[in-house]
Amino acid sequence: MFLNELSDPQKKMFMALAKRMVLADWRLEEHEKAAIERVEAELGQSLAVDPKDLMTNDNLSVLDTPRAKRIVLYELLVLAQADLKIDASERHVFDDLADELKISQDHMDQLEVLSADGYSLMLVNAADGAHRASVNEILDA
């Protein structure tokens, strides 16, 4: 939904984080594969990443604006909604990432609530103007 606003290095960081998140439970299920394919279609490129990038957050500095940080977190939350819940292993990844990116718990909670609707809208290819406006409020806060 907002991934095209990211620079190429930011997209690469998103892809590494996304792969780490979907593999957090050590399983890649069909609905997660479908969600990854939708993200890849939006990005116009594969989520293939170098394995070393999956093990470190060293490149988080490329997320150099509050908006870029929040876009990445929101889009990861949408991806995590593929199995209709954020499980404990994913929650750990999100909590650590929000802490490293200095995203407040309030913004995190708001983005998580919006991500469930974002995933539903994406699934049915519905008009998302009102939803985008709501997400933009948090991205720009």
Side-chain angles (χ1 to χ4, degrees), residues 52-65:
K52 70 177 175 58
D53 290 336
L54 295 175
M55 304 309 293
T56 181
N57 285 346
D58 290 347
N59 296 329
L60 284 177
S61 63
V62 300
L63 304 175
D64 54 358
T65 67

Side-chain angles (χ1 to χ4, degrees), residues 7-26:
S7 67
D8 285 341
Q10 291 169 338
K11 287 177 184 176
K12 182 179 178 185
M13 188 72 237
F14 168 80
M15 290 186 283
L17 292 168
K19 190 68 84 159
R20 186 181 324 163
M21 192 264 312
V22 298
L23 295 175
D25 60 3
W26 298 99

Side-chain angles (χ1 to χ4, degrees), residues 6 52 89 93 101 105 132 140:
L6 300 175
K52 70 177 175 58
S89 57
V93 171
L101 295 176
Q105 189 62 50
R132 285 181 71 81
D140 292 332

Side-chain angles (χ1 to χ4, degrees), residues 1-6 10-11 13-15 17-19 21-22 32 35-36 38-43 47 63 66-82 86 90 94 97 101 103 107-108 110-122 128 131-132 135-136 138-139:
M1 187 176 283
F2 297 94
L3 291 173
N4 287 321
E5 293 183 32
L6 300 175
Q10 291 169 338
K11 287 177 184 176
M13 188 72 237
F14 168 80
M15 290 186 283
L17 292 168
K19 190 68 84 159
M21 192 264 312
V22 298
E32 290 172 321
I36 288 171
R38 283 190 289 279
V39 168
E40 289 175 333
E42 181 179 347
L43 286 172
L47 269 181
L63 304 175
R67 184 173 176 90
K69 293 173 184 179
R70 291 177 186 152
I71 286 172
V72 166
L73 194 58
Y74 170 76
E75 295 288 356
L76 289 171
L77 285 162
V78 170
L79 188 59
Q81 296 291 349
I86 296 176
E90 292 168 334
F94 283 119
L97 184 59
L101 295 176
I103 295 175
H107 285 140
M108 178 70 176
Q110 292 174 27
L111 290 171
E112 185 173 340
V113 168
L114 289 166
S115 72
D117 289 339
Y119 181 73
S120 297
L121 290 167
M122 183 177 65
D128 62 358
H131 178 74
R132 285 181 71 81
V135 174
N136 264 317
I138 305 303
L139 295 179

